[in-house]
Amino acid sequence: MKIAFLLVFITCLNVSAKVFSQEKLTLDLKNIRLEKALQTIEKESGYRFVYSPTEGPFNKLISIKTNQASLEEVLRTLLAGTTLNYSVQQDNLITILANTGTDKDITVQGSVKDVTGAGIPGVSIAVKGIKGIGTSTDINGKFSLKVPDRAILVFSIIGYETVEMAAGPSMNITLKEANNNLDEVVVQAYGKTTRRVTTSAISTLDMKNVAQIPVASINDAVAGRLPGVIVTASTGAPGAKSSISIRGGGTPLFVIDNVIRSANDFANLNPNDIEEYSILKDAAATALYGVSAANGVIIVTTKRGKEGQTTINYSYNQIFSQPTLFPEKMSAYDQAVALNKVYTDEGKSPFRTPADLEKVKTGSDPLNFPNTDWQALTMKKFAPEMRHDLSLTSGTKSLSYYASLSHYNQGSILRTDQNFNKRTTYRLNATSDIEKLNLKVTAGIDGFIENNAVPYAGYGGIYSHIQNRQPSQLALNEFGLPTSQPDNPVRELDPLSGYNKSTAKIFNSNLGLEYSAPFLEGLKLKVNGAYTTYNNFRKIWTYLAPAYAIGSKTPINAGPPSLTNEQGQGATLTLQGYLTYNKTFGDHAFDFTGVFERQTDDFSIVNGTRQNYQIIYDQIIAGPTLNATTGGSEGEKRRAAILARLKYSFKSKYTLEGSVRRDGDYIFPPGSQWGTFYAVSANYVVSEENFMKLLKEKHILDFFKLRGSYGQLGDKKDLISGEEIAPFQYVPAYGLNANAWVINGNLVQGSSEPGTLPRSTYSWQTIGSRNLGLEFGTLNNRLTGGFDYFYTRRKGFVASDPRFASTLGIGLPLVNVAGAAYRTEGFEFNLNWASNINDFSYKVGFNFTKSNSLWERYPTEADATIKNPYIRRTNTAGDFYGYGLHSLGFYTDNSQLLTGARVISPNIIAGDLKYYDANGDGKITADDNRQIGSNSFPRTNYGITIDLGYKGFSFNAVVQGAGTEIAILAMCCKDQVTKICWFMPIKPITGV
């Protein structure tokens, strides 16, 4: 110590020439001695260090990586966890001495809040430079931690700026939201990256503002929040799931914790369990998922435990929902007045006499002249929904866990107890870090139980009956019993009527082992296994409650009921092996990922039906065995893949990425089962160039990045049907008939010849995709945005070639139809403004997507159809709804029927539709059918998001809109003589 004090005395005679805090250093040192690190800093700065190598742990191995950090921060990091202290002297000299006293641990207590004053749960708190000491904030944002004196604490959580501060007995930390956190972690295929170096089109969702929204499915919460993402709902029935499309494609691939799961599994995911949510759009982002990712990929990672004290969260939501647009129906009196006018104009006797009209108006004879409000009888004002969410998280240095339980109960707007959806989800994730073995073990179980019930007539069927019944039709007799009025929804909702009930049980388990190689920094080996089982049961009781005549309580029974029971079960096993290597050499960074994956599926279904029940008892044993039927099927699926990705980045300014995947699938013929697909992408962060420095300093352009990608993917789904190509089409398939023949008075089994010629040359459909994009941030990153142009072209559709007629009496074999191709082109952009005024924070976003599609050649259209521009889908931009006659208005007078082309039918009179004679042959026939409608899917979509916060209170709103589309709301009545489809499409309300 005497030598050290003498050195200090000598250095104090000099005069300082530099301000210590202004020195900035960029370092990247790994596993070097502390003494060597100090020597490196001397070379990089104008400072010299004075210390005694024998008076402290100067041989300690350290690692540090900084970017323009102050010398003060660098030294605090290097000396953290040691007994060494530094002191800045004159003449740019820094002395480092061992503490003569004994360092003591201190207990730090405090809280972490956002700018509004609300506590932030789950904030990670670590000691800088010391591994193994840390905790996380509880539900109120509070924490307590024992740390070494003079330690530097690091407070971090996704979505907020990281804060470092010296430890003290009491600490109150405020975190600001990261407007454009370029180092934010982004989940990608089989790994993670950062927003700064991302080269492909990936959108992320901030779950902080989404998880709390009380919706039936996570899909509903996404609507309107991300560009290029289209969410549609076909019905509001309890249990109905919204569907997601990425850039107008079909059903995307869903991945939960790196394991491919079904769309139904994903829709039933508890939003509160999701930690990170990413949408992969272009080929560069999705190529590693190969054939399964032709329509894009949605990836989520679920929450895991954190080191620290136990945190318990509970929330309860009570929701009341109702239709936003609901047609107001005409009363029986208004209807009668309108019909009287029509009858008078047509020279007929009135529909209602004045006396009868008065009875309708006054309701004096409700049985013979009813005024039925069908909506009031069958529908409630609101549909109730309820959700409970409970989660528990805790952990130590070696073991952490996250557990959750959720129950969702969705009622119906219909007045019945036979229409509901009840879902219970559960999850348990555990992580064990075995430092001595350089091994991390992850394990988890999750699943759900869903019960759904619908009246046997169906939700849509009953709703249509409610809307189609006239107010002049009688629903109930004087005893309040349902009448025999056809399609009487009151009768269909009667407790005695039948139902369609189903139960789905899903259980998933996973286990992962990750080994970090100590002999080569950055090398990791990982194996992962997931096993999913499901069991589904459905019971359909087809029965209509009795009807009653006026003045009677005697039941009028409908036809005898029938009962169907169906049960399905299956299992999926996924095995994965990973090799990853991530290394930085100065300004050069390399990231490699290699994966082998194998997945097997096995399933079976069995069902049975008994008909003509004589005893009204909804059990299979109670039905007669006469005409009873049984059925079932079973199958298996197999696929495997080998894939690799390599990324190179220079100074995080230029990044180049390439990936390749070799896919194998059982559905294709031997020799064609494997396909190779690839993608390349790059980005250029222009804002990191020196010539952009002035713009960055003035916050005119804080961030600006260009990126582009091209790739070719495989596809095994039929674009027309949306289903997978049927397997084993290369094998002659014989049909089986349980009762094919009668021999000696006995039914015997038989078989039939193959219906289609086999072919062994068809293979993968391919999709070429390119994407160009830019991202920017300005005004101190308060205003951020992005723009993407995309183009995809699908070809090689598997179908029977329509150019050759089936003259052999057997179906033609499958081929990759030459020339058949489908392309989509479009663009998307988004703008976001985020800032705060004192305690008030706000964020407003706008996103817009527009795309269009074209069949270069429709795979099933024959040459004759292709040559007809009026009905072909080939070369028709935007597609169309269907075929039918084009209306020219109405016949206003019977004399108009004497001239011009018309439908040859004795029932055509004034008031009927007048149709266009498209082919000019003087008559209206099926040959005059032309394309009707435009898009059956919205091609233009936009969303506006609003997120506000003030002192612990928050407000979130989303407005979603879509361009014009033709919905499936139409009436097509086919004349059995002329075979003409009288097509009357009805356009839905669009724009909101």
Side-chain angles (χ1 to χ4, degrees):
M1 290 301 295
K2 292 181 180 179
I3 296 175
F5 279 115
L6 178 61
L7 293 172
V8 173
F9 176 76
I10 294 173
T11 59
C12 288
L13 299 177
N14 299 295
V15 179
S16 176
K18 202 165 194 179
V19 179
F20 176 68
S21 61
Q22 292 180 348
E23 187 74 24
K24 302 294 183 182
L25 295 175
T26 298
L27 300 173
D28 188 5
L29 307 176
K30 295 184 179 180
N31 292 326
I32 66 172
R33 293 183 297 112
L34 175 59
E35 183 177 15
K36 182 67 175 177
L38 295 174
Q39 294 171 0
T40 301
I41 294 175
E42 285 183 333
K43 295 178 181 179
E44 297 289 334
S45 68
Y47 285 87
R48 289 176 296 156
F49 294 99
V50 180
Y51 57 88
S52 173
T54 61
E55 297 291 334
F58 290 96
N59 288 323
K60 173 186 177 183
L61 294 180
I62 61 93
S63 296
I64 184 172
K65 183 176 182 180
T66 66
N67 183 20
Q68 291 296 301
S70 68
L71 182 54
E72 181 182 7
E73 295 178 38
V74 172
L75 290 178
R76 283 184 178 179
T77 301
L78 290 177
L79 303 182
T82 71
T83 59
L84 299 174
N85 293 321
Y86 71 90
S87 177
V88 181
Q89 309 298 329
Q90 296 178 347
D91 200 20
N92 296 343
L93 295 178
I94 301 175
T95 60
I96 300 178
L97 301 173
N99 189 359
T100 57
T102 303
D103 279 345
K104 295 183 179 180
D105 289 343
I106 63 171
T107 299
V108 180
Q109 293 182 332
S111 63
V112 182
K113 301 180 180 180
D114 60 19
V115 293
T116 67
I120 307 176
V123 177
S124 175
I125 305 170
V127 178
K128 190 171 184 177
I130 303 179
K131 187 177 180 181
I133 300 179
T135 186
S136 59
T137 57
D138 62 16
I139 189 174
N140 297 313
K142 296 182 178 181
F143 69 95
S144 178
L145 181 65
K146 181 177 289 186
V147 301
D149 195 11
R150 296 183 300 280
I152 302 297
L153 300 187
V154 181
F155 300 83
S156 62
I157 188 174
I158 293 176
Y160 291 86
E161 296 179 357
T162 299
V163 170
E164 296 184 8
M165 186 171 292
S170 178
M171 303 183 69
N172 294 307
I173 307 299
T174 299
L175 297 185
K176 296 181 179 179
E177 287 194 19
N179 293 337
N180 187 25
N181 189 355
L182 300 180
D183 295 317
E184 174 189 350
V185 175
V186 175
V187 180
Q188 61 176 351
Y190 299 99
K192 295 183 179 182
T193 184
T194 62
R195 186 171 299 282
R196 182 189 299 273
V197 299
T198 299
T199 60
S200 51
I202 301 178
S203 293
T204 59
L205 187 66
D206 184 2
M207 291 304 300
K208 177 171 63 70
N209 294 326
V210 174
Q212 59 188 349
I213 301 175
V215 291
S217 167
I218 179 61
N219 294 350
D220 299 315
V222 175
R225 289 187 171 270
L226 296 172
V229 179
I230 304 165
V231 180
T232 56
S234 59
T235 173
K241 306 297 191 301
S242 299
S243 61
I244 292 183
S245 171
I246 300 175
R247 293 179 170 176
T251 302
L253 181 72
F254 297 95
V255 179
I256 304 175
D257 292 333
N258 283 331
V259 177
I260 296 174
R261 301 282 292 272
S262 70
N264 188 54
D265 288 358
F266 187 86
N268 285 304
L269 189 63
N270 182 3
N272 290 287
D273 287 345
I274 300 176
E275 182 76 23
E276 297 160 317
Y277 187 111
S278 293
I279 293 186
L280 282 53
K281 303 176 184 178
D282 64 349
T286 63
L288 284 190
Y289 288 111
V291 61
S292 303
N295 296 311
V297 183
I298 300 179
I299 304 178
V300 301
T301 57
T302 58
K303 294 179 180 178
R304 309 200 74 85
K306 298 180 180 179
E307 183 179 348
Q309 58 187 339
T310 301
T311 301
I312 300 176
N313 295 323
Y314 170 77
S315 64
Y316 170 78
N317 287 279
Q318 179 66 56
I319 309 105
F320 297 92
S321 59
Q322 65 177 173
T324 54
L325 296 173
F326 205 67
E328 184 178 347
K329 301 195 68 175
M330 181 181 289
S331 69
Y333 176 77
D334 292 334
Q335 180 193 46
V337 171
L339 288 174
N340 275 354
K341 186 177 185 306
V342 172
Y343 279 38
T344 300
D345 292 343
E346 294 181 349
K348 299 178 181 179
S349 300
F351 173 71
R352 295 291 187 201
T353 65
D356 292 343
L357 193 60
E358 184 64 21
K359 293 179 182 179
V360 175
K361 182 178 181 180
T362 61
S364 57
D365 190 359
L367 295 178
N368 295 304
F369 299 95
N371 181 22
T372 304
D373 187 343
W374 293 96
Q375 293 177 354
L377 286 174
T378 57
M379 304 180 72
K380 297 175 286 188
K381 294 294 183 182
F382 297 92
E385 301 175 41
M386 175 186 65
R387 193 171 90 182
H388 299 269
D389 290 291
L390 176 66
S391 66
L392 179 109
T393 181
S394 184
T396 62
K397 179 180 177 181
S398 58
L399 177 65
S400 60
Y401 63 89
Y402 170 84
S404 72
L405 183 67
S406 175
H407 179 71
Y408 178 74
N409 189 339
Q410 183 181 19
S412 174
I413 201 168
L414 299 177
R415 293 187 182 276
T416 177
D417 293 330
Q418 300 284 13
N419 192 201
F420 59 82
N421 181 262
K422 299 178 181 180
R423 181 178 70 235
T424 300
T425 62
Y426 55 90
R427 179 174 301 275
L428 174 61
N429 288 338
T431 303
S432 178
D433 197 349
I434 309 174
E435 290 189 14
K436 292 182 179 180
L437 300 179
N438 299 301
L439 186 67
K440 183 170 74 171
V441 182
T442 59
I445 60 172
D446 67 86
F448 64 87
I449 301 173
E450 184 177 30
N451 294 294
N452 188 265
V454 182
Y456 91 98
Y459 185 87
I462 290 178
Y463 182 78
S464 68
H465 295 165
I466 294 172
Q467 298 305 105
N468 292 334
R469 296 283 65 78
Q470 299 181 25
S472 58
Q473 295 172 330
L474 186 64
L476 302 169
N477 67 10
E478 65 268 41
F479 302 111
L481 300 173
T483 66
S484 57
Q485 167 67 44
D487 293 334
N488 186 344
V490 177
R491 188 180 180 190
E492 293 168 338
L493 293 174
D494 190 286
L496 295 178
S497 287
Y499 52 80
N500 184 339
K501 294 182 178 180
S502 63
T503 299
K505 299 179 180 179
I506 305 294
F507 176 80
N508 177 71
S509 58
N510 63 80
L511 176 66
L513 304 175
E514 182 180 287
Y515 174 70
S516 299
F519 53 84
L520 182 60
E521 184 184 6
L523 177 64
K524 293 183 179 181
L525 303 174
K526 180 181 178 181
V527 293
N528 187 55
Y531 185 70
T532 302
T533 62
Y534 66 86
N535 190 297
N536 300 327
F537 178 77
R538 183 177 299 276
K539 183 177 182 181
I540 305 174
W541 176 241
T542 305
Y543 177 61
L544 184 61
Y548 299 85
I550 296 176
S552 173
K553 294 183 179 181
T554 303
I556 304 172
N557 291 317
S562 64
L563 179 66
T564 297
N565 282 350
E566 180 178 281
Q567 186 165 0
Q569 59 184 9
T572 300
L573 174 64
T574 303
L575 299 175
Q576 298 170 328
Y578 292 74
L579 185 151
T580 65
Y581 181 67
N582 190 314
K583 183 67 174 178
T584 300
F585 303 92
D587 294 330
H588 307 274
F590 295 88
D591 188 354
F592 172 79
T593 300
V595 181
F596 172 77
E597 184 175 71
R598 184 174 186 269
Q599 190 175 74
T600 63
D601 291 275
D602 299 279
F603 61 91
S604 63
I605 300 173
V606 63
N607 59 69
T609 300
R610 291 196 176 183
Q611 308 175 46
N612 301 319
Y613 274 63
Q614 299 171 3
I615 300 174
I616 311 303
Y617 183 49
D618 59 345
Q619 297 297 315
I620 199 74
I621 193 66
T625 57
L626 183 65
N627 296 325
T629 60
T630 58
S633 63
E634 61 181 271
E636 57 185 35
K637 300 179 181 180
R638 301 290 186 268
R639 70 174 187 86
I642 304 172
L643 52 106
R645 175 179 59 217
L646 177 63
K647 176 184 289 186
Y648 165 74
S649 181
F650 177 70
K651 291 185 176 181
S652 296
K653 185 192 303 183
Y654 314 102
T655 305
L656 179 66
E657 181 178 307
S659 60
V660 63
R661 175 170 174 130
R662 181 79 171 157
D663 249 316
D665 202 287
Y666 80 109
I667 68 175
F668 295 107
S672 301
Q673 292 179 328
W674 288 87
T676 302
F677 311 103
Y678 63 90
V680 292
S681 59
N683 77 28
Y684 173 31
V685 184
V686 185
S687 54
E688 293 300 309
E689 295 287 2
N690 290 330
F691 60 79
M692 297 288 291
K693 186 176 181 180
L694 182 62
L695 295 178
K696 290 184 65 176
E697 290 177 350
K698 294 182 178 298
H699 299 299
I700 297 174
L701 197 59
D702 299 289
F703 177 71
F704 184 67
K705 181 175 75 173
L706 300 174
R707 51 178 167 77
S709 67
Y710 177 80
Q712 181 170 286
L713 305 176
D715 192 12
K716 60 181 180 178
K717 285 189 176 181
D718 179 47
L719 185 61
I720 301 173
S721 67
E723 301 297 329
E724 287 188 0
I725 299 168
F728 306 116
Q729 295 296 300
Y730 54 89
V731 178
Y734 292 84
L736 298 177
N737 190 337
N739 301 310
W741 312 100
V742 178
I743 300 178
N744 296 327
N746 298 317
L747 289 171
V748 297
Q749 293 179 315
S751 62
S752 60
E753 294 293 326
T756 302
L757 290 174
R759 175 123 178 180
S760 59
T761 58
Y762 64 93
S763 186
W764 300 88
Q765 301 169 168
T766 58
I767 303 173
S769 171
R770 59 177 180 260
N771 191 99
L772 297 174
L774 64 85
E775 300 171 27
F776 70 89
T778 184
L779 301 177
N780 201 19
N781 282 322
R782 287 179 295 174
L783 177 63
T784 59
F787 176 88
D788 279 87
Y789 163 81
F790 55 89
Y791 175 89
T792 60
R793 184 175 184 268
R794 302 171 183 241
K795 62 180 181 178
F797 291 96
V798 177
S800 296
D801 197 325
R803 294 176 295 176
F804 304 101
S806 300
T807 58
L808 302 177
I810 190 172
L812 291 174
L814 295 179
V815 296
N816 294 102
V817 179
Y822 181 80
R823 64 177 187 249
T824 299
E825 182 181 40
F827 67 89
E828 63 186 38
F829 69 85
N830 68 92
L831 293 172
N832 296 281
W833 176 271
S835 187
N836 64 279
I837 303 173
N838 297 325
D839 293 334
F840 176 71
S841 65
Y842 62 96
K843 183 176 182 179
V844 180
F846 174 76
N847 62 79
F848 180 88
T849 304
K850 183 176 178 60
S851 65
N852 206 355
S853 301
L854 173 75
W855 278 104
E856 294 180 18
R857 178 189 174 95
Y858 199 69
T860 60
E861 282 186 340
D863 287 342
T865 303
I866 292 176
K867 294 176 182 178
N868 187 339
Y870 301 110
I871 61 174
R872 70 185 182 194
R873 291 189 180 272
T874 299
N875 283 330
T876 302
D879 207 354
F880 54 93
Y881 179 76
Y883 303 100
L885 301 174
H886 284 210
S887 172
L888 297 176
F890 296 90
Y891 289 108
T892 58
D893 189 278
N894 286 333
S895 62
Q896 295 175 355
L897 299 171
L898 302 177
T899 59
R902 68 179 182 87
V903 176
I904 306 303
S905 172
N907 298 322
I908 302 297
I909 59 174
D912 286 329
L913 288 173
K914 183 179 182 180
Y915 293 104
Y916 173 60
D917 182 14
N919 62 0
D921 63 358
K923 53 186 177 181
I924 303 299
T925 65
D927 293 335
D928 294 305
N929 284 341
R930 294 294 183 265
Q931 298 169 357
I932 286 182
S934 54
N935 304 317
S936 57
F937 191 86
R939 302 299 179 186
T940 301
N941 294 268
Y942 60 87
I944 301 173
T945 60
I946 302 172
D947 299 298
L948 310 177
Y950 180 74
K951 293 187 176 181
F953 294 92
S954 63
F955 173 82
N956 309 99
V958 177
V959 178
Q960 181 193 19
T964 302
E965 62 173 310
I966 299 296
I968 307 176
L969 294 174
M971 180 176 67
C972 180
C973 302
K974 180 171 287 188
D975 190 311
Q976 297 303 315
V977 178
T978 63
K979 304 299 182 184
I980 295 177
C981 179
W982 302 58
F983 193 92
M984 299 172 62
I986 304 171
K987 281 193 175 183
I989 296 174
T990 58
V992 177

